[in-house]
Amino acid sequence: MVVCGVPKFTESTPFLLSSSDDHQDSTLRKRKRMISNRESARRSRIRKKKHLGDLVLQVSQLVSDSKHMAINLKDTTQMYLNLEYENSILRTQLAELTHRLESLTNIIYGFSSLSDNYGTEASIMLGMDDALLVHCDNMLHDNEHFMVEMFLN
């Protein structure tokens, strides 16, 4: 109630003042919460931008790594094919040399058996003596072991 322009306080007046203060506190809390939410949203946007930038960098690094790996794979595949080709050539040469060695061994054994059957005259007639035949035979056996070891390795 108002008397002569001055409000008259009653028992309900402190409640109204308290209600007004609560309303101001509530408004102030809402405003603070709104400011806090805006700041949190701003920080969240900044984090998202940073994360997106990090992901873009990671993608570019992975693309670069992938290109390098593809080049390395191509080079390694080419080296493998070259080595396979060289290996094929070496195997062919090994087969040819093994065949030649067998032929020479057969010839030496033929001369050896001829010498055994006909004696010294055959060796002299062929221009070879037993010592030379033994030497050639030993060389052939040594080469056979070397060729076998080379083939197995």
Side-chain angles (χ1 to χ4, degrees), residues 111-126:
F111 285 142
S112 178
S113 65
L114 183 64
S115 174
D116 290 343
N117 290 339
Y118 295 104
T120 312
E121 298 85 17
S123 293
I124 293 172
M125 188 172 66
L126 293 172

Side-chain angles (χ1 to χ4, degrees), residues 71-113:
I71 291 169
N72 287 341
L73 178 63
K74 180 182 173 188
D75 292 345
T76 303
T77 302
Q78 186 60 46
M79 286 173 47
Y80 170 78
L81 292 174
N82 290 343
L83 289 173
E84 278 290 318
Y85 177 73
E86 289 177 26
N87 194 20
S88 173
I89 291 171
L90 290 173
R91 287 184 190 273
T92 303
Q93 289 175 345
L94 175 65
E96 176 63 29
L97 290 173
T98 302
H99 178 70
R100 285 183 186 177
L101 180 62
E102 289 172 359
S103 297
L104 289 173
T105 302
N106 290 337
I107 291 171
I108 294 295
Y109 287 136
F111 285 142
S112 178
S113 65

Side-chain angles (χ1 to χ4, degrees), residues 12 24 30 36 40 44 51 75 86 102 108 112 119 121 133 135 137 144 146:
S12 64
Q24 286 178 348
K30 284 181 184 178
S36 175
S40 177
S44 178
H51 184 64
D75 292 345
E86 289 177 26
E102 289 172 359
I108 294 295
S112 178
E121 298 85 17
L133 285 174
H135 179 70
D137 188 46
E144 283 176 357
F146 172 74

